[in-house]
């Protein structure tokens, strides 16, 4: 990927997002939320990529992947007024359809185009398919790390915002009821990604977000999470009863094993 191609993609992205502009404040806020998220994921992926020592062309490809990874979110919100894939459609697949329909990647080499589409396709999967090429898996992994770094920021900002009015698009319409689901607890105790199907309330959702740590791929991402205290900040917005502490222990144990803790 060269500078010119990346600039063209950025220009297209800005113009495309403009087409979703709305006078309705709630709609516009949700469009802004995804646009801002995208631009920050671009920064995160460059930051992780640089620390991994990627050469310039790979950094530019990584940035293009980050720029386009959530392109399906705009059409998804316009059509269904939700960011819940389960209540609408898979936003990664939708994004690929959007890119093909608008012929956004037409001027790129086949290999580059395939890498972009592959990373987008896999960015929201519970796990990566083993049969893909190393390059496809590498760019999928770095995107998944960068994406999580920013989603953590968004949800944590939301939990700590003063006079926090609930944004149903962030909280996915979940009830703020006491306790957590047994299955969510089991996933965390087994140090595995929480299954989205187990999410019943806001506590489950916060625990799921803690569990993203089990899916982090690169050391620079771990370093960022530690420096920003993401795990601790989520812990602090959950109850501190014995049942929860057992789950936090499991998460911190994983962090220590991955050379994460101070
Ligand atoms: Fe994203």
């Amino acid at each position: 990927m060269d500078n010119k191609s990346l600039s063209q993609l950025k220009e297209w992205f800005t113009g495309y997002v403009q087409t979703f502009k709305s006078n309705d404040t709630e709609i516009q806020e949700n469009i802004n939320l995804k646009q801002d998220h995208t631009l920050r994921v671009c920064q995160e992926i460059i930051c992780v990529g640089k620390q991994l020592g990627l050469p310039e062309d790979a950094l530019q490809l990584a940035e293009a992947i980050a720029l386009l990874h959530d392109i399906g979110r705009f059409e998804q919100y316009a059509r269904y007024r939700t960011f819940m894939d389960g209540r609408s459609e898979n936003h990664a697949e939708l994004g690929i359809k959007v890119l093909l329909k608008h012929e956004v990647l037409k001027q790129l080499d086949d290999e580059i185009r395939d890498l972009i589409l592959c990373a987008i396709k896999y960015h929201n999967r519970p796990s990566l398919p083993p049969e893909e090429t190393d390059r496809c898996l590498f760019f999928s992994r770095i995107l998944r790390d960068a994406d999580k770094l920013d989603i953590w920021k968004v949800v944590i900002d939301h939990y700590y915002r003063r006079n926090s009015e609930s944004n149903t698009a962030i909280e996915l319409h979940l009830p703020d009821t006491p306790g957590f689901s047994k299955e969510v607890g089991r996933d965390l105790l087994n140090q595995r990604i929480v299954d989205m199907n187990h999410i019943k309330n806001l506590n489950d959702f916060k625990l799921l977000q803690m569990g993203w740590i089990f899916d982090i791929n690169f050391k620079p991402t771990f370093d960022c999470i530690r420096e920003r205290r993401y795990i601790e900040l989520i812990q602090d917005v959950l109850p501190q009863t014995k049942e929860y502490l057992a789950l936090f222990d499991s998460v911190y144990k994983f962090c220590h094993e991955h050379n994460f803790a101070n």
Side-chain angles (χ1 to χ4, degrees):
M1 166 83 51
D2 55 34
N3 230 329
K4 190 170 158 239
S5 307
L6 179 59
S7 302
Q8 283 171 348
L9 292 178
K10 286 181 183 172
E11 222 171 278
W12 177 80
F13 175 86
T14 310
Y16 177 73
V17 173
Q18 282 292 317
T19 65
F20 293 91
K21 246 172 75 176
S22 169
N23 292 325
D24 181 308
T25 333
E26 190 184 342
I27 296 174
Q28 189 58 48
E29 271 174 13
N30 282 309
I31 298 299
N32 293 346
L33 190 80
K34 288 300 169 190
Q35 183 172 25
D36 296 346
H37 161 69
T38 295
L39 300 177
R40 287 191 308 263
V41 176
C42 290
Q43 294 312 307
E44 300 287 12
I45 211 165
I46 293 169
C47 182
V48 174
K50 276 189 178 159
Q51 289 181 76
L52 290 174
L54 294 191
E56 197 54 35
D57 60 336
L59 282 176
Q60 282 166 338
L61 173 56
E63 189 178 350
I65 285 170
L67 180 74
L68 301 175
H69 84 281
D70 263 351
I71 202 69
R73 286 300 196 187
F74 302 98
E75 183 71 32
Q76 180 184 43
Y77 193 76
R79 270 195 219 174
Y80 307 98
R81 291 283 179 259
T82 180
F83 293 129
M84 277 185 95
D85 286 10
R87 291 191 186 184
S88 55
E89 62 180 295
N90 182 325
H91 74 276
E93 305 286 346
L94 181 57
I96 290 171
K97 284 185 212 154
V98 167
L99 294 175
L100 297 178
K101 182 179 158 205
H102 293 265
E103 300 188 327
V104 180
L105 309 176
K106 216 172 81 178
Q107 80 282 17
L108 301 173
D109 293 346
D110 289 359
E111 196 222 346
I112 300 290
R113 189 184 55 228
D114 290 349
L115 284 171
I116 294 175
L117 294 175
C118 145
I120 295 175
K121 182 163 78 181
Y122 297 141
H123 91 270
N124 63 342
R125 295 265 179 108
S127 58
L128 290 172
E131 70 277 6
E132 279 292 347
T133 65
D134 286 350
R135 261 170 85 73
C136 159
L137 291 174
F138 173 79
F139 284 102
S140 301
R141 289 193 175 105
I142 192 169
L143 172 60
R144 289 164 70 96
D145 276 23
D147 197 20
K148 287 189 184 70
L149 279 177
D150 191 63
I151 308 175
W152 265 313
K153 178 205 146 47
V154 171
V155 295
I156 289 168
D157 280 356
H158 175 71
Y159 297 143
Y160 283 86
R161 204 175 303 142
R162 244 191 296 187
N163 308 323
S164 174
E165 71 296 357
S166 86
N167 180 325
T168 49
I170 290 183
E171 290 173 358
L172 305 177
H173 312 273
L174 291 165
D176 193 4
T177 48
F180 58 84
S181 303
K182 225 191 318 178
E183 295 88 346
V184 172
R186 203 179 305 141
D187 287 337
L188 285 189
L189 290 176
N190 286 305
Q191 300 187 336
R192 63 175 180 234
I193 281 285
V194 174
D195 186 332
M196 195 65 205
N197 297 314
H198 297 154
I199 302 304
K200 308 232 164 50
N201 67 12
L202 193 54
N203 290 334
D204 288 344
F205 196 45
K206 290 172 181 170
L207 290 169
L208 168 134
Q209 288 152 3
M210 259 196 171
W212 286 336
I213 193 80
F214 305 134
D215 193 37
I216 291 302
N217 299 290
F218 299 109
K219 170 90 169 49
T221 319
F222 275 110
D223 293 343
C224 260
I225 297 164
R226 184 184 60 237
E227 282 158 22
R228 300 178 192 177
R229 301 181 56 79
Y230 280 161
I231 302 297
E232 292 86 345
L233 287 166
I234 298 178
Q235 173 179 351
D236 289 349
V237 291
L238 279 162
Q240 305 295 315
T241 62
K242 158 168 129 268
E243 290 78 12
Y244 284 88
L245 291 175
L247 305 184
F248 305 151
D249 274 354
S250 172
V251 171
Y252 287 119
K253 194 164 166 261
F254 179 90
C255 294
H256 279 283
E257 282 161 8
H258 288 74
N259 207 4
F260 169 87
N262 295 308

